Amino acid sequence: MSAQMFSIIYTGQQAPELKDLARSRAVMALPLAGRYRAIDFMLSNLVNSGITNAGIVTQHNYHSLMDHVGSGKEWDLSRKQDGLFVLPPFVTNQNPGMYRGTLDALGGVMSYIRRSSQEYVLIIDDTAVYNTAFRKMMEYHLEQKADITVLYQQERPHEAVLSEGVTRVYLYTSEEGRVWDIEVNAASPKTRLVSLGAYILGKALLMRIIEECVARDRHDFIRDVLIRRMNDLRIFAFGHKGVAVRIDTVQNYYAANMAFLDADARTDLLSKGGPVYTKVKDEVPARYGENGRVANSLIADGCVIEGNVENSVLFRGVRVAEGALVKDSIVMQNGDVREGASINHAILDKSVVVQRDRVLSGTGDFPVIIRKHGIV
Amino acid sequence: MSFGGKYRIIDFALSNCAHSGVDTVGVLMQYQLHELNFYLGTGQAWDLDRVHGGVYVLSPYHRSGGGKWYTGTANAIYQNIGFIEGHDPENVLVISGDHIYKMDYREMLGAHCEKEADATIAVMRVPMNEAGRFGLMRCDEDNVVVDFEEKPAEPKSDLASMGVYVFNWRVLKEYLIRDASDPASSSDFGKDVIPAMIRSGARALAYPFEGYWRDVGTVRSLWQASMDLISSPPAFDLYDPVWRIYSKNPNLPPHYVGEGARVACSLVPEGCTIYGEVERSVLSSGVYVGRGALVRESVVMPFARIGDGARVERAIIAEHAVVGGGCHIGAPGQKPEKDAGGITLVASDVAVPDGAVYERGSVIDGHTGKEETE
């Protein structure tokens, strides 16, 4: 059944709320959980759902993303038929090279959509990261004879706190699951169903929608399709039963990484719908020195741990020297925390050096971010 | 066979090939073919999925007139003369897949060509008291081999063959054909073919190698070579950025170290979960160490589980073995430590029941589960 579906992944707008983390990379290229990037989860979800035709729509800063996905081989998406297609923006008369919204972006890849042979399409945006197989959602879509099915998650009320630059789409559904109202960033939502930014619809319908909207200068899939056409399209909501994390602000990104320290959440996010595949780097096993102490942390291959690490996520090739302390922090690839240095509630981007005896200290709400290649 | 946390022993030979610019590799194999085939795949992990060349599994096969098992190392190559001819090489590199070392075969080939040798044998000095385990040779001052003896009872030299040979293919082919027609021959390179070459005046050259090299064919040597990875500085450096060891990646999440765990002087690859204590040990992908457990000076192979409160000392816990809660593997015992060095082995897939105690040097075997000594 899912063999009839192809997928388009929209990798992200500018994300000012992610500050320096998204300066040189798309949201979907953000490193996550010690050895992954956000897009690994989505590509693995597709593959674990039997989807073998995937287009990645890129807009900003897509160099690191292209470098990461390569031919798609690591996700088994380097195929004779279909496979992985990276779709960078290109400038034509109709397309100025800058997408003004998701629909605009979909319009920009119309030739890919037209060329895809599958009857249904799964559209995924950069809202959230989760581990699921989309088969059940597809079955639900067919059972309900839906035009569009939206994936959602039940959020606890206290999670519905909004900060600037964040988009939350609240869904109101009837008993049978049909969506009868949608609010974007409602101040006081009366529903707990929040969209996870994944949609199934027929390819023919998608093409019609794109053509109609482009003709009327409408760009936003949520406002111009889901909300505007709620009455004449059968829009249904399908609930994701596991963990989903969001990476749209620095705080959420920090919390998303920390979520992996919980055994249940880790199992859910790394294996629920199937394994998460990523690019292989041939790193060596992590090596521990004599006096290091590590507690409640994720440590990737290639790390050399001689100091102390607590409640932290260490990506590949990180060095923690003797007497150093890494606490409640995220250290990306090849970070180097030298003798006697101490960091807590910090996010060190790739290849950051924290020199001897330096102290970096943030809080859970406001972690310190050090840019790529920064030397502290 | 896994080694060094996330590698298989064959990764070391294949990585040497990849880094030495060898683009065509035939892997001679007659047991556990499926497993090896599955592991090698297209050879992509070692950069050996090439347009010209690649990696080939060469197993015995039936042909008109019947087929037969490989009767020896040289016979394995004899049976694949057709494969080699198909690539029409000038020289052939013959190596063993179960040694741990880093070697640039290009330099050896350079010496072989420069000296116009028929055969070049990589050699290294070994301690005289261990020399009897190796193929030993004596050379003149130009490194020309004058005498080769395979595992002699009374060693006359400490210059050991590493099982790495470069042959002039035309010459080797002649000797292989001659060897195959000799019913008394065991068709082994060390025992038969190389001594025959030397006897009949072929030009055999020793190529001295300095550096780390280990045969890990026994429990003791496997354990020792694993410990060599965690000495400080490591006797064998996996971390060399220009000579990275390639392997098929098992695709597992970063390892998790829980509250109250302690890890010291150890290698821990991805996929492990550690709640207990790990000291001077090499863990492999997907290993679980329970709360209050202690793993000391041990090698734990992929996906083995050490139960809560278990103690594992100077042991090798093979793949997928389960050590029950509160077990003591490698407990000090009455028995004198033998030559095996008192390394305890829990064989693969064995489940050791909770609370079991096994003395140092035991072999805990799958079928009987009963204690045996080496």
Side-chain angles (χ1 to χ4, degrees), chain B residues 232-248:
Chain B
S232 181
F236 184 79
D237 185 11
L238 291 170
Y239 291 74
D240 188 346
V242 297
W243 204 273
R244 190 146 277 202
I245 309 304
Y246 297 144
S247 76
K248 192 137 178 181

Side-chain angles (χ1 to χ4, degrees), chain B residues 10 25-31 33 36 56-60 70 72-80 83-84 94-95 189:
Chain B
I10 198 170
V25 177
V27 180
L28 298 161
M29 183 79 189
Q30 59 185 349
Y31 303 112
L33 274 175
L36 185 77
Y56 304 86
V57 173
L58 304 174
S59 56
Y70 295 151
T73 48
N75 177 260
I77 298 202
Y78 170 77
Q79 290 200 39
N80 286 287
F83 168 80
I84 299 171
V94 177
I95 56 179
F189 273 106

Side-chain angles (χ1 to χ4, degrees), chain B residues 123-265:
Chain B
V123 296
M124 65 184 300
R125 300 223 174 259
V126 293
M128 209 58 194
N129 57 348
E130 286 181 34
R133 290 169 46 209
F134 300 97
L136 301 177
M137 62 205 78
R138 284 183 297 165
C139 304
D140 67 13
E141 58 272 27
D142 293 325
N143 280 333
V144 174
V145 180
V146 294
D147 179 32
F148 188 105
E149 279 184 301
E150 184 72 8
K151 295 180 185 145
E154 309 244 325
K156 285 183 277 217
S157 158
D158 64 348
L159 213 51
S161 165
M162 297 163 54
V164 176
Y165 315 105
V166 176
F167 293 104
N168 177 301
W169 171 238
R170 194 181 38 76
V171 176
L172 176 64
K173 192 175 143 192
E174 264 173 47
Y175 279 93
L176 289 177
I177 293 168
R178 206 179 300 168
D179 176 80
S181 64
D182 175 3
S185 170
S186 59
S187 296
D188 183 87
F189 273 106
K191 284 202 199 84
D192 308 293
V193 175
I194 290 170
M197 289 175 96
I198 292 164
R199 272 197 310 274
S200 57
R203 192 171 155 76
L205 202 71
Y207 174 79
F209 174 79
E210 276 168 27
Y212 188 92
W213 176 87
R214 290 289 183 282
D215 181 333
V216 288
T218 64
V219 170
R220 171 77 197 179
S221 61
L222 181 64
W223 180 85
Q224 186 56 54
S226 300
M227 293 301 120
D228 287 345
L229 301 173
I230 51 176
S231 57
S232 181
F236 184 79
D237 185 11
L238 291 170
Y239 291 74
D240 188 346
V242 297
W243 204 273
R244 190 146 277 202
I245 309 304
Y246 297 144
S247 76
K248 192 137 178 181
N249 200 286
N251 203 2
L252 293 165
H255 71 265
Y256 176 78
V257 181
E259 209 82 56
R262 201 178 86 82
V263 187
C265 305

Side-chain angles (χ1 to χ4, degrees), chain A residues 21-37:
Chain A
L21 294 173
R23 249 169 55 94
S24 60
R25 54 171 84 90
V27 174
M28 274 288 172
L30 279 172
L32 203 58
R35 74 168 291 195
Y36 305 98
R37 290 180 189 250

Side-chain angles (χ1 to χ4, degrees), chain A residues 33 35-36 73 261 266 270 276-277 280 282-290 293-299 301, chain B residues 4 6-7 44 229 231 238-239 244 246-247 249 251-258 263-270:
Chain A
R35 74 168 291 195
Y36 305 98
K73 176 173 45 106
L261 295 181
R266 189 166 64 242
L270 292 174
V276 181
Y277 302 96
V280 171
D282 286 301
E283 271 293 358
V284 289
R287 183 183 160 90
Y288 284 81
E290 206 155 342
R293 269 206 103 85
V294 177
N296 190 35
S297 296
L298 276 178
I299 315 279
D301 273 0
Chain B
K6 62 180 286 189
Y7 307 100
Q44 182 264 329
L229 301 173
S231 57
L238 291 170
Y239 291 74
R244 190 146 277 202
Y246 297 144
S247 76
N249 200 286
N251 203 2
L252 293 165
H255 71 265
Y256 176 78
V257 181
V263 187
C265 305
S266 295
L267 291 190
V268 184
E270 287 168 335

Side-chain angles (χ1 to χ4, degrees), chain A residues 97-353:
Chain A
M98 288 295 283
Y99 300 135
R100 283 167 294 176
T102 35
L103 271 179
D104 207 15
L106 290 169
V109 300
M110 200 58 163
S111 61
Y112 166 70
I113 297 173
R114 202 172 288 129
R115 207 171 55 218
S116 295
S117 61
Q118 292 80 3
E119 194 183 344
Y120 293 92
V121 55
L122 169 70
I123 298 172
I124 298 171
D125 67 20
D126 61 343
T127 304
V129 171
Y130 43 85
N131 188 327
T132 189
F134 291 107
R135 287 198 189 89
K136 287 230 168 75
M137 182 175 168
M138 181 63 183
E139 280 165 26
Y140 180 79
H141 180 81
L142 294 176
E143 267 165 34
Q144 299 296 335
K145 300 195 170 49
D147 291 316
I148 301 177
T149 300
V150 184
L151 187 70
Y152 72 85
Q153 187 196 30
Q154 292 247 14
E155 283 195 0
R156 287 187 296 270
H158 72 269
E159 281 175 324
V161 180
L162 282 181
S163 62
E164 215 177 315
V166 167
T167 306
R168 289 284 180 282
V169 178
Y170 298 100
L171 308 171
Y172 294 83
T173 58
S174 68
E175 252 171 53
E176 43 157 7
R178 180 155 179 191
V179 177
W180 59 268
D181 197 11
I182 295 173
E183 291 178 319
V184 179
N185 292 349
S188 49
K190 310 227 168 14
T191 174
R192 289 183 186 177
L193 311 192
V194 187
S195 165
L196 288 176
Y199 317 95
I200 290 177
L201 65 164
K203 171 185 152 177
L205 175 63
L206 176 68
M207 287 173 67
R208 210 160 62 234
I209 286 172
I210 293 170
E211 276 159 13
E212 285 168 14
C213 287
V214 167
R216 292 176 178 81
D217 206 27
R218 292 175 184 154
H219 321 295
D220 191 290
F221 188 74
I222 294 157
R223 290 174 197 277
D224 297 323
V225 180
L226 297 184
I227 295 180
R228 195 183 280 266
R229 306 199 50 190
M230 209 170 338
N231 294 322
D232 69 296
L233 292 178
R234 284 171 64 81
I235 301 176
F236 279 74
F238 180 78
H240 171 59
K241 298 291 184 301
V243 180
V245 293
R246 297 179 190 268
I247 50 173
D248 45 7
T249 66
V250 170
Q251 289 78 5
N252 285 343
Y253 174 75
Y254 177 81
N257 276 284
M258 293 303 157
F260 284 88
L261 295 181
D262 176 72
D264 294 336
R266 189 166 64 242
T267 310
D268 186 304
L269 286 164
L270 292 174
S271 58
K272 186 153 184 263
V276 181
Y277 302 96
T278 187
K279 184 173 174 176
V280 171
K281 291 261 173 69
D282 286 301
E283 271 293 358
V284 289
R287 183 183 160 90
Y288 284 81
E290 206 155 342
N291 301 315
R293 269 206 103 85
V294 177
N296 190 35
S297 296
L298 276 178
I299 315 279
D301 273 0
C303 286
V304 180
I305 312 290
E306 278 158 341
N308 302 319
V309 181
E310 249 177 78
N311 310 327
S312 295
V313 176
L314 270 50
F315 284 74
R316 292 189 261 217
V318 168
R319 303 179 80 93
V320 180
E322 214 159 307
L325 171 66
V326 174
K327 194 164 179 259
D328 301 307
S329 294
I330 298 162
V331 185
M332 293 188 202
Q333 209 173 309
N334 297 329
D336 188 355
V337 183
R338 303 218 166 131
E339 286 85 353
S342 165
I343 66 171
N344 76 73
H345 295 98
I347 302 174
L348 308 187
D349 209 320
K350 285 189 181 177
S351 306
V352 164
V353 179

